[in-house]
Amino acid sequence: MRPSFAPRLVSESPFGDPALFAPFALEHRALLFDAGDTGPLSPRDVLKISHVFVSHAHMDHFMGFDRLLLLGLGREKDLCVFGPAGFLKNVEGKLSGYLWNLAHRFTNSFSITASEVTEDSIKTRTFRLADAFAPGPAVIRPFDGVLVSEPSLTVRAAVLDHGTPCLGFALRERFHVNILSTGLDRLGLAPGPWLSGFKEALFSEADPETPVAATSAGGGEKVLPLGFLTENIVRKSPGQSLGYITDVVGHEENEKKILSLVKGVDHLFVEAAFLDEDSESAAEKFHLTAGQAGRIARKAGVKRLDVFHFSPRYSDDPGKLKNEAMRAFEGGGES
């Protein structure tokens, strides 16, 4: 089974700025969790990003926003960004820090839709290039834990404590659609862009009689019912899921919220800033220890753990942090 998305930390170093890039297979689309240094991403990858989920606006989590802005200026694109309380002011500050007297020369409709998430509401404003990124009117809706809800996936968030509000995130795919090459061959069909529309119809639970224009192996077109195609070329499997947690203090309330958010995810990315022996420093700086990260992952029942955002004090031996996290994850640490 080919995965729907292949998440990877942008920095190859565990000491690098936090950013998780999640591109979708067979789609010109990706999600980004945190926007630290995005330099390792190619412009092509950056332009795939449709949504950015910012845990909080400390510089090492948000400085990459400027590159997303720069590369988006000549594109037809609406970039959606989410952050915690105060985030709209952060975005407006970024945008107002530049001169936009030539904005009228752009013919594309680039915009940024920014949302500020609190415990009970989401406040959204749109900043349009055509308006020199002046803030649009605020739209407020209740927050029920869901940031993005699409037919194929959801992204949820929890408001956590880093001495300031900080968001944790979980991405869950509803189910995975595996296209059977044997089924395509049997029906004389060829893979191609038509499969994206076909999958959208599946996720939207369209009527089985909905006509689907499929590309035939000979280059023509065959119009077949959605239900018939589903029976012949599809195998469904459980959807993928991931969690992303960084810059949170390891107290009981945070842990409770994190466990609820990421329970059972396939792949958890979580900070491991300090060793357990330096837990006082971790608490003072509102970060997790590696042991806490591993124990949370074990309690949540995640399948795979990756740790990152190490404190530079361990630069001489980063393996200590990873080893402590993995021991706790595998059950070798104290509970």
Side-chain angles (χ1 to χ4, degrees):
M1 179 188 80
R2 182 174 184 177
S4 297
F5 49 87
R8 69 177 189 270
L9 292 165
V10 173
S11 174
E12 294 184 0
S13 167
F15 300 100
D17 288 354
L20 176 68
F21 181 66
F24 288 80
L26 306 178
E27 296 183 46
H28 189 74
R29 186 195 182 188
L31 307 182
L32 185 68
F33 296 86
D34 267 341
D37 179 10
T38 61
L41 293 177
S42 69
R44 179 182 176 85
D45 279 342
V46 170
L47 290 171
K48 292 179 182 177
I49 296 169
S50 62
H51 294 70
V52 185
F53 304 95
V54 179
S55 62
H56 62 298
H58 282 165
M59 192 173 187
D60 56 338
H61 296 256
F62 195 40
M63 63 181 290
F65 174 84
D66 285 23
R67 186 163 178 246
L68 275 67
L69 173 63
L70 177 64
L71 290 173
L73 288 176
R75 310 285 171 166
E76 293 285 334
K77 186 179 182 72
D78 179 34
L79 180 66
C80 297
V81 294
F82 296 84
F87 188 63
L88 288 176
K89 187 175 181 179
N90 300 136
V91 172
E92 186 174 351
K94 283 271 196 181
L95 295 170
S96 64
Y98 296 103
L99 184 63
W100 300 110
N101 65 304
L102 301 180
H104 65 281
R105 295 189 177 183
F106 288 90
T107 58
N108 61 297
S109 59
F110 179 59
S111 61
I112 293 172
T113 298
S115 296
E116 177 176 301
V117 182
T118 65
E119 290 280 3
D120 52 16
S121 69
I122 298 180
K123 183 178 181 181
T124 300
R125 292 185 187 273
T126 297
F127 302 81
R128 303 182 190 281
L129 174 60
D131 300 326
F133 291 117
V139 176
I140 301 175
R141 64 178 173 90
F143 176 52
D144 60 0
V146 178
L147 299 183
V148 176
S149 179
E150 298 179 0
S152 62
L153 61 84
T154 59
V155 179
R156 302 182 68 90
V159 180
L160 305 172
D161 177 19
H162 179 48
T164 184
C166 181
L167 301 181
F169 304 102
L171 164 63
R172 295 181 189 268
E173 184 186 26
R174 281 183 56 207
F175 54 83
H176 185 69
V177 176
N178 304 283
I179 302 298
L180 305 175
S181 58
T182 53
L184 290 173
D185 292 342
R186 187 168 58 252
L187 296 180
L189 302 177
W194 70 272
L195 287 171
S196 294
F198 168 65
K199 290 179 180 180
E200 287 178 12
L202 281 180
F203 285 120
S204 300
E205 299 181 343
D207 189 303
E209 295 303 315
T210 301
V212 176
T215 302
S216 68
E221 185 177 275
K222 290 184 178 180
V223 179
L224 299 167
L226 175 68
F228 174 79
L229 282 170
T230 303
E231 291 175 4
N232 284 275
I233 69 170
V234 168
R235 182 176 68 244
K236 291 183 181 180
S237 57
Q240 280 181 267
S241 56
L242 68 81
Y244 178 87
I245 304 294
T246 189
D247 289 53
V248 295
V249 64
H251 58 46
E252 184 177 353
E253 182 62 22
N254 266 349
E255 182 173 317
K256 180 180 177 181
K257 289 182 177 181
I258 293 168
L259 291 176
S260 176
L261 180 67
V262 305
K263 185 175 180 61
V265 298
D266 297 319
H267 198 164
L268 177 62
F269 295 85
V270 60
E271 72 158 357
F274 294 87
L275 291 172
D276 274 348
E277 65 187 41
D278 297 319
S279 59
E280 288 187 8
S281 293
E284 288 172 1
K285 297 183 178 181
F286 296 92
H287 282 282
L288 291 176
T289 68
Q292 287 170 332
R295 288 188 287 275
I296 287 172
R298 187 176 81 247
K299 290 178 184 178
V302 309
K303 296 176 183 176
R304 178 179 173 186
L305 172 66
D306 267 319
V307 290
F308 65 102
H309 205 19
F310 295 0
S311 167
R313 72 166 64 183
Y314 307 103
S315 57
D316 60 331
D317 191 2
K320 286 183 178 180
L321 289 161
K322 183 174 181 179
N323 290 340
E324 179 173 279
M326 297 311 295
R327 282 197 305 272
F329 177 46
E330 293 164 0
E334 65 179 72
S335 59

